[in-house]
């Protein structure tokens, strides 16, 4: 079955489900879910249960969006609550952290940045970098140990 046929059969259903669950954001999630499904379809994978796959993908996308929103709101509330004096200390700390991250070896830095700033899981990072999730986990552990050791100096 072609992707166009899958879309005609399930697009309205998915849009309604996600709109009822997530409001206006549901449309964006549906669009992103179809992009992910198209990528899976292009890779030649057989899609036996498109509705289940679409809902799984949409659920993960919604979860990722919520996590990013939560982190952003936490940072914004911290920034709003800080005084000018505290802001100077925060700026210095941010510069120091940036220097520590830049000093990481390339393989550790890429994993660290994707995880901490990109909000990606070990599995997602592994797919992007062509690594196993265990290798990603190992690199992340090494990156954190390296940064911790530098902070203790």
């Amino acid at each position: 079955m072609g992707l166009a046929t899958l879309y005609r059969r399930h697009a309205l259903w998915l849009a309604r489900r996600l709109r009822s669950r997530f409001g206006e954001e549901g449309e964006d999630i549906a669009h992103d879910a179809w992009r992910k499904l198209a990528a899976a379809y292009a890779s030649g994978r057989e899609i036996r249960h498109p509705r289940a796959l679409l809902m799984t993908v949409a659920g993960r996308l919604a979860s990722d969006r919520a996590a990013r929103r939560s982190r952003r709101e936490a940072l914004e509330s911290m920034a709003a609550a800080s005084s000018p004096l505290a802001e100077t200390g925060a700026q210095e700390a941010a510069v120091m952290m940036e220097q520590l991250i830049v000093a990481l070896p390339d393989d550790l830095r890429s994993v660290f940045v994707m995880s901490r700033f990109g909000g990606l899981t070990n599995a997602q990072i592994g797919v992007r970098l062509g690594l196993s999730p265990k290798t990603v986990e190992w690199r992340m552990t090494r990156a954190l140990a390296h940064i911790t050791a530098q902070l203790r100096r």
Side-chain angles (χ1 to χ4, degrees):
M1 175 182 326
L3 186 60
T5 303
L6 286 175
Y7 184 81
R8 278 193 305 274
R9 287 184 182 175
H10 305 292
L12 186 57
W13 166 84
L14 181 66
R16 285 181 180 159
R17 279 295 286 266
L18 296 178
R19 235 185 337 255
S20 71
R21 189 168 175 191
F22 301 108
E24 291 180 19
E25 189 177 25
E27 292 177 26
D28 292 336
I29 295 169
H31 175 76
D32 291 345
W34 279 108
R35 281 192 11 236
K36 294 272 187 184
L37 185 74
Y41 192 82
S43 71
R45 287 194 221 159
E46 180 184 351
I47 300 173
R48 290 187 230 170
H49 305 285
R51 284 186 175 196
L53 179 60
L54 283 165
M55 286 308 293
T56 299
V57 169
R60 289 179 183 160
L61 289 167
S63 177
D64 290 347
R65 283 172 174 257
R68 279 193 302 274
R69 184 173 34 256
S70 177
R71 282 193 299 270
R72 184 177 59 246
E73 289 170 356
L75 287 172
E76 287 171 358
S77 69
M78 286 175 26
S82 68
S83 68
L85 184 57
E87 190 174 306
T88 302
Q91 288 174 350
E92 290 173 3
V95 168
M96 184 175 72
M97 273 307 291
E98 183 178 345
Q99 290 171 344
L100 291 173
I101 293 167
V102 168
L104 287 171
D106 290 341
D107 58 338
L108 304 182
R109 183 176 54 242
S110 61
V111 168
F112 183 83
V113 168
M114 286 182 190
S115 174
R116 294 298 189 234
F117 300 105
L120 300 177
T121 65
N122 288 352
Q124 292 168 328
I125 295 168
V127 168
R128 288 194 181 183
L129 297 178
L131 303 170
S132 74
K134 279 293 186 190
T135 301
V136 172
E137 182 180 337
W138 180 85
R139 288 183 181 182
M140 188 65 185
T141 300
R142 297 279 299 153
L144 290 170
H146 188 276
I147 289 172
T148 302
Q150 295 300 317
L151 287 172
R152 288 185 178 156
R153 281 186 175 190

